[in-house]
Amino acid sequence: QVRLVESGGGSVQVGGSLRLACVTHGYTVSMECMAWFRQAPEKEREGVAAIVNIRETTYYADSVKGRFTISHDYDKSTLYLQMDSLKPEDTGMYYCAAGGQRCGASFVADVGDFSYWGQGIQVTVSS
């Protein structure tokens, strides 16, 4: 049984940094994608960063390019999202996802393409 467990969220001021971590249990790394999504209140869940396993190609939403970095430590079975220069619009629930059948530069990642999800973790950026 695959289980994803996120940690590292919290509250931070504008310009600050946070690093999210997602430990994957029972997940076999393959050519599939892993990704971080976020959902702001009353908005749809959107993909903000994705990584193609093994190849380690990464994709980012325009809103986070140059500020967020996705990475995967295979030895620790952990997916990370380093978030720098945080803005109030980065506020929301962040979810890690695995087993993605596709991810790409033009769309990053779509909710429907991923099989496994974490429970979500709150990130709040205040001015």
Side-chain angles (χ1 to χ4, degrees):
Q1 182 178 357
V2 176
R3 192 165 58 95
L4 309 181
V5 181
E6 299 113 332
S7 63
S11 297
V12 65
Q13 291 191 324
V14 170
S17 297
L18 286 173
R19 188 174 79 155
L20 305 183
C22 172
V23 178
T24 62
H25 301 274
Y27 177 66
T28 300
V29 174
S30 64
M31 284 297 292
E32 296 172 333
C33 298
M34 298 184 73
W36 287 96
F37 288 76
R38 74 180 174 199
Q39 188 166 19
E42 300 181 358
K43 290 191 175 181
E44 293 186 353
R45 195 172 299 187
E46 61 171 348
V48 296
I51 185 168
V52 180
N53 291 328
I54 308 300
R55 196 184 307 157
E56 297 195 354
T57 303
T58 57
Y59 304 104
Y60 297 95
D62 288 342
S63 59
V64 307
K65 276 181 184 175
R67 302 187 298 119
F68 288 14
T69 303
I70 187 171
S71 61
H72 189 198
D73 186 327
Y74 297 99
D75 291 337
K76 295 182 179 179
S77 299
T78 302
L79 181 72
Y80 297 101
L81 184 68
Q82 177 66 41
M83 305 186 294
D84 299 318
S85 302
L86 283 161
K87 304 176 181 180
E89 51 263 43
D90 294 320
T91 294
M93 285 292 287
Y94 282 71
Y95 300 86
C96 71
Q101 296 304 305
R102 62 175 191 144
C103 51
S106 61
F107 62 97
V108 184
D110 289 335
V111 170
D113 290 327
F114 285 75
S115 301
Y116 310 110
W117 293 86
Q119 79 284 0
I121 193 162
Q122 179 68 36
V123 170
T124 302
V125 184
S126 57
S127 55

